[in-house]
Amino acid sequence: MTEESRKSIHGQWSSRLAFILAATGSAVGLGNIWKFPYITGENGGGAFVLVYLLCIALIGIPVMMSEILIGRRGRRSPINTMRMLAAEEGIPKLWVLLGWAGVVAGFLILSYYSVIAGWAVAYVFRAASGVFTGVTADGIGAMFGDLVGNPEAQLGWHTIFMVMTTMVVARGVRSGLEAAVRFLMPGLFVLLLVLLGFSMNTGYFEQGLDFMFSVDFSKLSTAAVLTAMGHAFFTLSLGMGAIMVYGSYLSRNTSIAKTSVVIALLDTLVALIAGMAIFPIVFANGLEPASGPGLIFQTLPLAFGHMPGGVLFGTLFFVLLVFAAWTSAISLIEPAVAWLVENRDMNRVRAATLVGMITWLLGIVTILSFNRWAFEFDFAGETKGSGIFDILDILTSNIMLPLGGLAMAIFAGWMMKKTSVVDELKMGEGMLFKAWYVVVRYVTPVAVGIVFLNLVGVVRF
Ligand code: PHE
């Protein structure tokens, strides 16, 4: 292939920084601020956090490198990238299924992601109206209950968020997005530090740290290990083609290894700070760490309701949370949209509208799973309370993304010729390359494999 034909028809990031910002925008989202604290709470804290961190370092970063390198080599939507690389590397065409599975996962994830992001939009207005001022834990619990118990209201917020997402995707990922991430991400970070400052003064900061960082393996269940691994993929946006499609817009001379490490570090930092800000508030107010998907919506308003300038900070915080979710949401449908543009000869506006409408419809299932359709079920010994929402979450984060990421590691480690991989990574063949190669060929497949075997009861730990 010539250099010329390796250009993406969708355009390219303007710089390495632009890619880092976009990929970080994809990675940092509800996963860090909403999901990480609540699943840490549900899974007992310390030991879960440790497994999560190990998964980020040992599986997440190497898989991210594989996913970016595959994307940049293919320069097309994930579906067409897989098709083309399979032909170029002389391996079975069946690998195209990996692209398709990613598109399906993207639809499923965004369908519930948008509903939760809709809650965040609702909380912007609540925060701005001042209803959090002086509120009690019971009061804020009731407010949250009103929202999730009301399908019509949630449908409205979900619709707003889906329209926002579709609009950006229709304009093309680059314009708008780059600017948004450049200013808003640092803003979010600063507000998290404000929250952290508040939590340090609750008198429960140490208890929060203790919960998050003191490791007690007896609290670690099979489901917890699977959830920690799945979340490493989810939070880094891996395993479904989002990072692959962003990689396909990346210039050929950017270091894939360095960028992956930077993105993973930023993402992890945000999640840990969110956790450290939230748990002290949980303990100070006698709340339950395991209260599920409502956790941040029931704790953070308490902080904003009791700090000076809380109306302003609270409003800003939820605005920025919506932005963080927004920059993640667009990456969830970009693989599908890029494919429609390539294969169905649609323009971006029509492609984005079609994809947006399908996701919007699917989202209704999640909305109803918090009220009319709610049911409980047991998953690997844990009780889940929100029916189809929990099923979608387990299916996508804990199963589809790890399997997708595993397949990408195998593709880069075993299927592609070593010369192609070396050529694309541009890091030579020194120690670092060797370490990465061993990890994607052996460590990632074995680790993901063991966790799955454990889930189906073949291996016990
Ligand atoms: N990483 C995003 C978050 O943490 C979610 C996401 C998952 C985005 C998969 C794209 C792909 O919020």
Side-chain angles (χ1 to χ4, degrees):
M1 264 218 144
T2 62
E3 280 298 308
E4 204 34 47
S5 55
R6 284 207 184 279
K7 284 223 168 87
S8 164
I9 61 163
H10 309 279
Q12 205 172 323
W13 304 110
S14 56
S15 64
R16 170 176 123 102
L17 182 67
F19 171 74
I20 294 191
L21 289 171
T24 309
S26 166
V28 176
L30 295 174
N32 308 61
I33 294 166
W34 160 72
K35 193 171 179 188
F36 173 72
Y38 100 72
I39 56 178
T40 299
E42 281 182 343
N43 289 288
F48 172 85
V49 174
L50 181 67
V51 176
Y52 157 78
L53 292 174
L54 285 175
C55 288
I56 295 275
L58 289 177
I59 306 178
I61 295 175
V63 169
M64 182 178 286
M65 289 172 62
S66 313
E67 188 163 344
I68 299 177
L69 98 83
I70 296 171
R72 187 165 73 180
R73 192 132 191 104
R75 286 263 179 253
R76 288 158 175 77
S77 66
I79 294 174
N80 287 330
T81 283
M82 293 314 297
R83 172 171 301 127
M84 193 207 82
L85 290 186
E88 193 174 277
E89 302 283 330
I91 51 183
K93 284 212 190 70
L94 227 56
W95 277 94
V96 71
L97 288 180
L98 179 55
W100 281 107
V103 166
V104 173
F107 276 112
L108 295 178
I109 296 176
L110 186 56
S111 79
Y112 70 80
Y113 202 86
S114 168
V115 173
I116 312 294
W119 296 355
V121 180
Y123 271 60
V124 170
F125 292 95
R126 288 184 166 184
S129 74
V131 288
F132 298 153
T133 311
V135 77
T136 60
D138 284 344
I140 194 66
M143 271 186 225
F144 179 71
D146 280 346
L147 177 65
V148 290
N150 184 340
E152 290 82 12
Q154 288 184 86
L155 185 63
W157 300 118
H158 163 59
T159 307
I160 292 175
F161 188 77
M162 273 316 303
V163 170
M164 288 165 55
T165 303
T166 307
M167 272 168 34
V168 175
V169 179
R171 289 191 57 196
V173 164
R174 225 183 94 181
S175 48
L177 172 68
E178 282 192 27
V181 189
R182 200 175 293 237
F183 297 107
L184 298 170
M185 285 289 147
L188 181 68
F189 195 73
V190 170
L191 276 182
L192 276 175
L193 293 180
V194 170
L195 273 174
L196 188 66
F198 176 85
S199 294
M200 283 177 169
N201 289 319
T202 52
Y204 286 80
F205 192 61
E206 258 176 53
Q207 204 177 329
L209 287 188
D210 196 52
F211 180 75
M212 276 181 69
F213 299 112
S214 63
V215 177
D216 173 0
F217 281 111
S218 67
K219 286 193 195 153
L220 199 65
S221 63
T222 298
V225 176
L226 183 72
T227 308
M229 182 179 78
H231 189 62
F233 286 94
F234 183 88
T235 192
L236 295 177
S237 304
L238 298 176
M240 52 73 59
I243 289 295
M244 193 189 289
V245 81
Y246 277 14
S248 77
Y249 310 146
L250 181 63
S251 115
R252 293 267 290 159
N253 35 38
T254 303
S255 155
I256 292 180
K258 276 192 219 143
T259 10
S260 301
V261 172
V262 172
I263 298 165
L265 281 179
L266 288 173
D267 186 81
T268 308
L269 195 65
V270 172
L272 292 179
I273 296 181
M276 290 192 287
I278 285 160
F279 286 110
I281 307 174
V282 170
F283 296 121
N285 292 283
L287 297 168
E288 197 32 69
S291 35
L295 188 66
I296 67 158
F297 296 97
Q298 286 165 300
T299 48
L300 296 184
L302 283 170
F304 296 126
H306 296 271
M307 68 166 75
V311 173
L312 178 70
F313 284 138
T315 312
L316 268 179
F317 175 84
F318 284 108
V319 168
L320 292 170
L321 182 61
V322 170
F323 270 101
W326 199 4
T327 54
S328 301
I330 54 185
S331 70
L332 280 161
I333 47 173
E334 180 63 17
V337 171
W339 181 79
L340 285 172
V341 171
E342 286 166 6
N343 281 50
R344 293 275 162 259
D345 208 19
M346 276 192 201
N347 61 31
R348 282 195 72 94
V349 177
R350 297 185 70 183
T353 310
L354 177 68
V355 171
M357 276 166 52
I358 298 174
T359 326
W360 177 81
L361 267 181
L362 279 173
I364 295 173
V365 175
T366 292
I367 292 177
L368 293 170
S369 70
F370 292 110
N371 35 70
R372 299 204 186 127
W373 292 356
F375 61 84
E376 285 190 353
F377 65 97
D378 267 1
F379 171 67
E382 277 182 8
T383 310
K384 299 281 177 184
S386 330
I388 299 179
F389 159 74
D390 282 319
I391 293 177
L392 277 176
D393 177 40
I394 292 170
L395 175 70
T396 52
S397 334
N398 298 1
I399 298 173
M400 294 181 81
L401 297 187
L403 284 181
L406 170 67
M408 290 175 198
I410 292 177
F411 192 81
W414 295 97
M415 295 291 141
M416 288 175 74
K417 292 182 212 73
K418 192 173 172 192
T419 47
S420 316
V421 173
V422 171
D423 174 49
E424 200 58 53
L425 278 181
K426 303 215 175 338
M427 59 192 291
E429 287 189 63
M431 278 302 290
L432 273 178
F433 171 80
K434 289 207 176 79
W436 170 80
Y437 211 43
V438 168
V439 171
V440 286
R441 300 184 81 175
Y442 302 100
V443 180
T444 304
V446 170
V448 177
I450 289 179
V451 175
F452 276 111
L453 290 178
N454 181 250
L455 178 71
V456 292
V458 179
V459 182
R460 277 281 152 246
F461 52 73

